[in-house]
Amino acid sequence: MPDPDTHRAGRPIDDVYAAALHIGGDCLRDGPVGTVGLEIEAHCFDVADPLRRPGWDELQDVIASVPDLPGGSAITVEPGGAIELSGPPLAGPVLAISAMQADRRVLSAAFAARGLGLVLLGADPLRPAERVNPGARYRAMEAFFAASGTAAAGAAMMTSTASVQVNVDAGPRDGWAERVRLTHALGPTLIAITANSPLLGAEFTGWRSTRQRVWSQLDAARCGPILASGEDDPVNDWARYALKAPVMLVNGEEAEPVTDWVPFADWADGRTLLGGRRPTEADVDYHLTTLFPPVRPRGFLEIRYLDSVPDDVWPEVVFTIVTLLDDPAAAEIAAEATAPVATWWDRAAQHGLAEPRLQAAAIRCVTAAAERAPAELSAGMARLVERVERGRSPGDDVADLVVARGLRAAVTALTEEGT
């Protein structure tokens, strides 16, 4: 969490133009492609009692017992107690995957020793939403969502969803527009491939990716895709998006919710004063941490639209998305394949690979990646291609398990697998 007093050291923002310059200044960095960073979130369940949500102190105690992670990942706790591993940027998908696999083995063993399992699902299928992280930021977020009429979706987003996040280089400046466009266009197809959240709150929701459904219920100004302005300039697109988005929190002595709809542009121009003052550059930076589009520019591209998926799926998904972006020939195939379905975010979340045009795009994309897979990933990529050709996403296996065994028994089985 950012230092709550950082606004005091930041330079003041005089107007909306100064804010736009600051937002766009380092949002994309010119350079080669090839670096990959991974972040993986896993729901934490008590093996003996999967309805129980482990508390904050308990989780901190377990984390303190984890030995040094060989891949260098950082461990953090999400608001609802999900455990996140954030790996360092490494040279290429294979190294990033290998490092994350090693760190997950060590982390899972430490949690298993305390009777806890780490389950890779896009949404918690069993427990009601409940916050365990006591941070002021998350208390303020709850108040913001309540004031904006999205309390239930906000609580579910914070405490019941989990994802695999892939971070890739922005690439050379003259290719930014095309690369950002493709990263967005891949979204619905990759959502269909990774859909792994058919249940929420102990009920089938009718959506293959309930995680994506939850995010879509929040305000589009904060969580929707960054829509192109027509200028073909992703830097300007991001600045406009951030300035139009309402301010969620003001960081003073601690985070304070903003319960009225105040676009950041209004604060920057002085039309509205928040916390009794004009914003600083640090306030701009903090505002950006409260924006959650499916692709977020942070110097690199932060890809946020994947469900958390099992250990026998996510490495191949990571290799697929990086290959489709970084390999020029594969990128051409992906751009053509995904063009007809590039805006089908909700359709992908609801129907997944059961939608024929999404399945057709997915087959072309994973096949192109599989043809470029190194030996250590070739078997896994073949399995992913076969799964996509059958129209199966990981959540279909979860649904079948719940139907066969009942929900609690199914979650117990998944929890035991995560130990």
Side-chain angles (χ1 to χ4, degrees), residues 44-272:
C44 183
F45 286 93
D46 184 332
V47 177
D49 181 8
L51 277 168
R52 184 180 78 86
R53 189 181 292 270
W56 177 255
D57 292 339
E58 179 182 2
L59 295 173
Q60 293 302 308
D61 184 55
V62 178
I63 290 170
S65 75
V66 178
D68 290 341
L69 297 178
S73 294
I75 308 170
T76 55
V77 181
E78 293 298 298
I83 306 301
E84 180 178 24
L85 281 179
S86 301
L90 296 171
V94 174
L95 282 179
I97 289 166
S98 178
M100 182 58 70
Q101 287 174 322
D103 287 353
R104 273 197 44 76
R105 286 192 290 269
V106 173
L107 184 75
S108 296
F111 273 73
R114 302 296 186 94
L116 302 175
L118 300 178
V119 180
L120 297 169
L121 282 169
D124 185 333
L126 180 61
R127 301 171 299 193
E130 179 185 354
R131 179 172 59 85
V132 301
N133 189 321
R137 172 183 171 96
Y138 301 117
R139 291 198 303 272
M141 287 176 70
E142 285 177 335
F144 172 87
F145 288 129
S148 64
T150 57
M157 178 274 283
M158 288 197 297
T159 70
S160 300
T161 64
S163 70
V164 171
Q165 186 172 294
V166 183
N167 302 320
V168 297
D169 294 307
R173 183 182 301 272
D174 61 4
W176 283 352
E178 182 178 359
R179 187 168 174 81
V180 169
R181 188 163 50 245
L182 178 57
T183 308
H184 281 83
L186 283 167
T189 298
L190 268 294
I191 287 170
I193 292 171
T194 62
N196 192 35
S197 46
L199 297 101
L200 182 69
E203 295 182 348
F204 281 102
T205 64
W207 293 72
R208 294 314 207 275
S209 175
T210 303
R211 182 202 57 82
Q212 176 64 23
R213 170 59 173 164
V214 165
W215 283 91
S216 73
Q217 292 174 317
L218 300 171
D219 64 271
R222 163 166 277 103
C223 300
I226 303 168
L227 300 179
S229 64
E231 293 184 3
D232 221 19
D233 183 345
V235 174
N236 284 344
D237 288 338
W238 175 233
R240 287 189 179 90
Y241 183 99
L243 289 168
K244 289 179 180 178
V247 182
M248 174 183 273
L249 314 173
V250 173
N251 218 13
E253 293 304 317
E254 64 177 35
E256 294 292 336
V258 178
T259 54
D260 294 322
W261 186 277
V262 180
F264 195 92
D266 287 1
W267 191 18
D269 264 347
R271 288 189 290 271
T272 301

Side-chain angles (χ1 to χ4, degrees), residues 268-284:
D269 264 347
R271 288 189 290 271
T272 301
L273 296 182
L274 298 176
R277 60 182 177 83
R278 297 281 289 269
T280 67
E281 288 182 346
D283 290 310
V284 178

